[in-house]
Amino acid sequence: MNEAVLNDAIANPRNLGEMADADAVGTVGNPECGDMVRMWLKFTEKDGRKVIDKASFQSFGCQTAIAVASMATEMLKGRTVEEAKGMTAGDLSGPLGALPPMKIHCGQMVEGALKAALEGGEAGPVAAVKVEKAGAGLQGNLAESLGEAAGPRVGKVKVVLQ
Ligand code: FES
């Protein structure tokens, strides 16, 4: 793993924060480590194709998840939806180099948040309220709520659509 790239992304995460005018939002959490990543996407049209205009994220998680999410949101700009759907955790964390085994799920969380957003997470006022609740109640009940929720999986990460 490239420590310099990691440290830069942690010190200065790009595209951090809720996107008020997002078209889609996706959230995933990992009940095992208790971390969570949420990604917002805004689409535009280019040459008749739907492309990602911008992406942002919030991460209640470890530094690796923050770093990968920061890189991913930069990497996603200008990608078509089809291209973004095909991106793996390895693609999204590319500049970081290979993640150590203990950190592979951190990248998968970011991939999961992206896929959740691409597969129909619609952003809007209701989603915004959920963001606040998730932030406020994170310490106490995230693991419990993730444990109860069912969702698709990306690798070992349980994808929880909210
Ligand atoms: Fe769980 Fe990084 S340790 S997301």
Side-chain angles (χ1 to χ4, degrees):
M1 190 159 70
N2 187 323
E3 295 292 332
V5 174
L6 177 71
N7 292 336
D8 176 60
I10 293 165
N12 183 23
R14 277 64 156 190
N15 308 307
L16 178 62
E18 183 180 346
M19 192 190 298
D21 61 343
D23 294 318
V25 60
T27 305
V28 298
N30 183 319
E32 281 163 36
C33 67
D35 293 342
M36 177 177 142
V37 174
R38 178 163 287 162
M39 188 178 289
W40 288 266
L41 300 174
K42 179 84 182 162
F43 302 109
T44 187
E45 209 169 290
K46 193 176 169 195
D47 303 327
R49 297 200 298 177
K50 191 174 172 183
V51 301
I52 295 173
D53 187 34
K54 55 183 180 174
S56 75
F57 77 98
Q58 278 184 336
S59 174
F60 305 97
C62 76
Q63 295 187 328
T64 306
I66 293 169
V68 175
S70 171
M71 282 169 209
T73 51
E74 288 206 298
M75 219 178 277
L76 287 167
K77 284 179 203 160
R79 303 263 184 174
T80 66
V81 168
E82 290 70 31
E83 285 169 347
K85 280 182 178 171
M87 293 181 81
T88 65
D91 297 328
L92 297 170
S93 60
L96 268 179
L99 300 178
M102 291 277 293
K103 293 289 176 183
I104 286 174
H105 78 274
C106 314
Q108 290 173 335
M109 291 250 295
V110 177
E111 180 189 345
L114 169 63
K115 301 280 161 73
L118 290 170
E119 286 166 16
E122 284 197 20
V126 175
V129 170
K130 283 183 182 171
V131 172
E132 286 167 26
K133 280 185 187 166
L138 194 64
Q139 273 76 22
N141 62 19
L142 177 64
E144 288 167 35
S145 62
L146 291 175
E148 290 166 9
R153 283 179 170 266
V154 176
K156 289 185 176 174
V157 178
K158 179 183 286 185
V159 176
V160 181
L161 302 176
Q162 302 202 336

